[in-house]
Amino acid sequence: MRPRKERETPLEHVAAAEHHTHDHGHEEHLGFWRKYIFSVDHKVIGLQYGVTALLFLFFGFSLMMIMRWQLAHPGEPIAAVFFIAPMALIGVVVFFISGIKPSLSMLIGLLFLGMAGLVYYLTSGDERFPGGIMLPEFYNQLGAMHGTIMIFLGVVPLGVGAFGNFVVPLQIGAPDMAFPKLNMVSYWSYFVGGLTMLVSFFVPGGAANSGWTSYAPLSVIATTGQTMWIIGMVFLITSSLLGSVNFIVTIVQLRAKGLTFMRLPFFVWAQLVTSFLLLLAFPPLEAAAVLQLMDRVAGTSFFLPSGLVVSGQALQNAGGGSPILWQHLFWFLAHPEVYVLILPALGIVGEIIANNTRKPLWGYKSLVYSVIFLGFMSFIVWAHHMFLTGMGTTISTFFQTTTMIISIPSVIILTALIISLYGASIRFTVPMLFALAFLPMFGIGGLTGLPLGLAPPDIHLHDTYYVIGHFHYVVAPGTLFALFAGIYFWFPKIVGRTMNTRLGKIHFWGSFVAINFVFMPMFIQGLAGVSRRLYDGGQQYAHAQGVLYLNNVMSIAAWVLGAFQVVFIVNFFWSLKRGEKADTNPWHATTLDWQTPTPPPHGNFLHEPVVYRGPYEYSVPGKKSDYTPQNEPETSGQKA
Amino acid sequence: MSDSSQSAEHDIDIKKHVRIYIIVFVTLLALTLITVAVSYLHLSIVPAVTVALVIATVKASLVACYFMHLISEKKLIYISLSFTAVFFIALMFLPLWHMSDNLTH
Amino acid sequence: MQIPYTVTPRSDTGLFNGKLGIWLFLASEVMLFGALFSSYVLLRTGAPTWPRGWEELNIPLATLNTAILITSSVTMVMSWASLMMKDFNKFRRYMGSTILLAFGFLVVKAFEYGHKFELGHFPSTSNFFAVYFTMTGLHGLHVIGGIVVNSYLLGPGSKMWNTEPERFTNRVEIAGLYWHFVDLVWIFLFPSLYLL
């Protein structure tokens, strides 16, 4: 085996460690394809998810940048070079950052160049930018695909597929997931779904353009890209369903000896509830996707009402369908989906706060009961997205009530995390900075959701920029910040080096300031009545003229936000090879994931771990060290 | 590894199960014939739905309890299925409620 | 470290991994078919007119199919029971019967569909037929899935009986749970579409 200093990449690290097959029965030498591409090891799969998701996040961000150009300069020819050149430059830098040797960095560098090429294609051509000016139809494609890509190809695969896969088996003391081959199938299903979404940009008529919500009847009569969206979603849902079965069985069945449910790290609880949401909420969307596919391809009228007239021509379908039916089936998934977006983030923030306050989390029991209650309630609030569909007052009251009730566990969780800071010895590490910023950002996101959950104010705010501001606050400076925190936090466990702290702090502060300038103005525009999904950003509205200048503010802020992500990208790839070396537990953490070698070998633990205590035994009075790992035996023979 | 006396008990256990499977099989066929016969009465929609769903539920319960061994399953399975049942009912009835409790009616 | 509880049940849950896994998967399938049933109810109650099942569909043929599927459920559970009684040849006969009956189901279905097409009834004809074709079609895809899995267990997969008989028995049990669920869906689908 090559000596440690010559090893290139985290994937290689992890896969190479598979050579350490101590207790493992089969001492095979796995070839390249079985080791890196079709691996069944949860750590390799987790990294595959992570790299793929980060690339999709970056691509989704680029789509948003193009949209923001249009919103700031509607009707003007696009200066595409401001998007393409930086992307190409990043590609070149990343390509060469590890030297001239085949490596992950080279592959990613090439993919960045590929993305730059894709953006060049998307910002040119008469079907999208005749004379350099964006067509409204193309703006709609950007809107629909930005949302779809960020949610389904970016945040969830990163939060669940990457962090969940890599960390959960380690934190519960398991050798792998319960069904490793199924895990591999999940990743490749995600990959195929993502590829389908990307390819849809190239079909005649372009990608899906009916919003990420694909409301009928517009989506039924939309161009071919919508059919590809449906097919892509079927692959993504399959990936998700198989993954959620895997996670639940793993967490329930493969916990180490002594690891009772109430000794689980909060991160694992969050992933468990998330998996139940994915398991039971996705199938109705799969059913709806099948029905919409039938409408588009087989001429059925599940969602097409009678007497529909399109461009002056009456549709020749049987009719009798219900557009509202689509909304019910869609939102039945999409509401629990937003909790899928936030729960892994809450879990990550919990771990990092406990670790960097050197104290147990405050209210562990409240956190656990709240997250379970939250998961349950998330299934019966969905029609708060449908208050304006002609709902009667009784059913409207029902959904307003459940929606108000669901805010209670969210507040309990946020409060517990904040109280955890009280009296703490806070270490302002880079992960902690992101975790701390998460708290008020999630708070703003959550609070701005309250008027949306009550029908009367929602009449004014529905489908305005206020909504966009609300959900972006929760997902962008909310979840995404938590995910960044997680990357900085677990990087040393995967790579054996820490990311550079100064660059990390620059990334943090720049992103934190810029991101607020991107999303705070949206509340103002929304309250002034600017609708969402307008290709000209409200220019045609007489009542919006006073807030149009904010489009320029937000677009510049978005560009600045993008620039600060370059700092992260460079830091990430630089640190892979040249970061400061770290030992196996550089953060002095208590949970089992930090009690393994770095990187963890195939099978994770050399001997089956036994757990003797809870997950956050920091600063226990009378103990020499300010932290006690979960699996460290008591000197006086404590029972497990 | 069970010794011979344990595996003998084991076999008797299975044979008891097999008898139950046959009884359930015959019952299912009978119920199928009954539900089809009732349909020939061309009842109006409400009684027709009631009878059909009651018979179907009985049949489904037999399959679930005996063929799928649900009657002797573990608590964790029951808990997961209970949550599923609640969400299934929500998905079935809340959209219907929306259709009936409507501002245009 | 090997992955524990693949065959032996874990003491506090009383389950082996695959058993929990398949029940969770079936829970998701309940939500999938549940969504379709919910859509059916919504569309039918909202429609000004809707044909009664016997006006458009072939009840005798579907009753035959119901009997076929119920029988295949019995042969499936008997194939597992045979393995529990260590009778591998009986297992092969019962599993083979299950697969044959499943094919029979699909053949009858093909006749049904073919006849509908001859009469000019397609999914696009009306919402009644849209629901009929979509729901029985998705159910049929699940039947095909079951045939694939069962054929694997009868064929190349059955080699595991020689090396790890308990693990193989568990696999047949799990496949059986899936197959019974396919039967269960039909038990509701048959009256809902044909008899109402």
Side-chain angles (χ1 to χ4, degrees), chain A residues 5-325:
Chain A
K5 62 173 166 9
E6 270 187 42
R7 284 196 225 143
E8 308 272 13
T9 64
L11 260 183
E12 284 191 12
H13 268 141
V14 168
E18 284 177 29
H19 285 288
H20 296 299
T21 48
H22 291 273
D23 287 3
H24 196 54
H26 310 282
E27 298 261 336
E28 304 160 62
H29 178 90
L30 293 171
F32 174 83
W33 288 92
R34 290 275 302 280
K35 212 160 44 157
Y36 298 116
I37 311 298
F38 296 110
S39 171
V40 296
D41 186 303
H42 72 101
K43 301 182 290 296
V44 176
I45 295 173
L47 290 174
Q48 287 176 320
Y49 266 107
V51 170
T52 314
L54 284 169
L55 286 169
F56 274 120
L57 280 174
F58 187 84
F59 182 63
F61 189 91
S62 319
L63 296 182
M64 173 276 292
M65 296 277 277
I66 305 172
M67 289 168 79
R68 282 250 55 104
W69 163 273
Q70 166 69 9
L71 292 171
H73 309 283
E76 289 175 41
I78 189 169
V81 66
F82 285 121
F83 309 108
I84 302 167
M87 287 173 76
L89 194 59
I90 296 170
V92 171
V93 168
V94 170
F95 185 88
F96 287 111
I97 204 163
S98 305
I100 325 283
K101 264 183 284 195
S103 63
L104 182 68
S105 316
M106 276 195 153
L107 173 65
I108 304 300
L110 284 176
L111 290 171
F112 268 102
L113 286 167
M115 266 197 282
L118 187 52
V119 170
Y120 172 72
Y121 167 80
L122 291 176
T123 52
S124 55
D126 283 340
E127 323 84 70
R128 290 171 294 281
F129 279 87
I133 299 174
M134 188 191 285
L135 283 177
E137 289 80 355
F138 184 64
Y139 183 85
N140 295 341
Q141 287 180 41
L142 291 174
M145 295 310 285
H146 166 76
T148 303
I149 288 173
M150 291 307 233
I151 295 173
F152 295 111
L153 303 184
V155 176
V156 178
L158 186 57
V160 182
F163 282 105
N165 254 315
F166 196 97
V167 175
V168 166
L170 294 175
Q171 280 194 342
I172 64 172
D176 205 305
M177 297 285 271
F179 309 115
K181 290 200 206 92
L182 205 67
N183 206 8
M184 182 189 73
V185 170
S186 287
Y187 170 75
W188 286 105
S189 202
Y190 156 58
F191 184 85
V192 170
L195 207 61
T196 309
M197 293 288 188
L198 279 184
V199 167
S200 72
F201 277 108
F202 293 95
V203 303
N209 54 17
S210 312
W212 80 282
T213 51
S214 293
Y215 274 16
L218 184 65
S219 55
V220 178
I221 62 173
T223 50
T224 312
Q226 180 65 25
T227 302
M228 297 197 69
W229 185 93
I230 293 172
I231 294 171
M233 285 306 296
V234 170
F235 278 105
L236 294 174
I237 296 173
T238 304
S239 164
S240 213
L241 284 177
L242 298 178
S244 54
V245 169
N246 222 341
F247 271 87
I248 297 172
V249 176
T250 302
I251 294 171
V252 169
Q253 296 278 105
L254 301 190
R255 282 165 296 130
K257 181 152 172 273
L259 189 55
T260 58
F261 275 108
M262 294 313 263
R263 283 179 174 174
L264 282 175
F266 182 60
F267 178 75
V268 180
W269 270 112
Q271 291 283 353
L272 180 63
V273 174
T274 301
S275 292
F276 267 105
L277 298 188
L278 291 171
L279 183 79
L280 298 175
F282 251 131
L285 181 61
E286 179 134 55
V290 169
L291 297 180
Q292 195 184 105
L293 191 64
M294 291 291 287
D295 271 9
R296 287 181 57 84
V297 163
T300 52
S301 303
F302 288 112
F303 305 122
L304 292 176
S306 309
L308 201 60
V309 175
V310 178
S311 305
Q313 292 239 335
L315 281 191
Q316 294 305 311
N317 61 314
S322 170
I324 297 281
L325 176 61

Side-chain angles (χ1 to χ4, degrees), chain A residues 23-25 173-180 241 245 248-249 252-255 276 279-280 283-284 286-287 290-291 294 298-302 318-322 325 329 332 603 605 607-609, chain C residues 1-6 8-10 12-22 24-25 27-29 31-32 35-36 38-40 42-43 47 123-127 130-131 133-134 138 167 171:
Chain A
D23 287 3
H24 196 54
D176 205 305
M177 297 285 271
F179 309 115
L241 284 177
V245 169
I248 297 172
V249 176
V252 169
Q253 296 278 105
L254 301 190
R255 282 165 296 130
F276 267 105
L279 183 79
L280 298 175
E286 179 134 55
V290 169
L291 297 180
M294 291 291 287
T300 52
S301 303
F302 288 112
S322 170
L325 176 61
L329 295 174
F332 187 87
F605 297 89
H607 307 286
E608 195 184 316
Chain C
M1 267 181 78
Q2 298 279 33
I3 296 172
Y5 312 121
T6 51
T8 351
R10 186 184 155 108
D12 56 0
T13 60
L15 299 161
F16 63 93
N17 299 342
K19 179 75 82 76
L20 180 58
I22 194 70
L24 291 171
F25 176 68
S28 81
E29 293 272 80
M31 298 307 291
L32 178 72
L36 291 175
S38 172
S39 306
Y40 171 36
L42 204 121
L43 288 170
S124 53
T125 306
S126 66
N127 268 348
V131 169
F133 279 111
T134 306
L138 196 64
R167 192 163 161 223
R171 282 191 167 183

Side-chain angles (χ1 to χ4, degrees), chain C residues 96-166:
Chain C
S97 309
T98 309
I99 295 170
L100 275 173
L101 287 164
F103 268 115
F105 181 88
L106 291 177
V107 166
V108 172
K109 238 314 31 39
F111 270 116
E112 267 194 86
Y113 278 18
H115 188 238
K116 296 283 165 299
F117 297 151
E118 270 174 38
L119 293 174
H121 295 316
F122 297 95
S124 53
T125 306
S126 66
N127 268 348
F128 174 87
F129 282 107
V131 169
Y132 166 74
F133 279 111
T134 306
M135 290 188 80
T136 57
L138 196 64
H139 178 260
L141 283 177
H142 280 79
V143 171
I144 293 173
I147 291 176
V148 170
V149 169
N150 287 343
S151 303
Y152 171 77
L153 288 173
L154 181 62
S158 66
K159 285 199 219 79
M160 194 187 266
W161 175 251
N162 302 317
T163 51
E164 295 173 90
E166 237 188 281

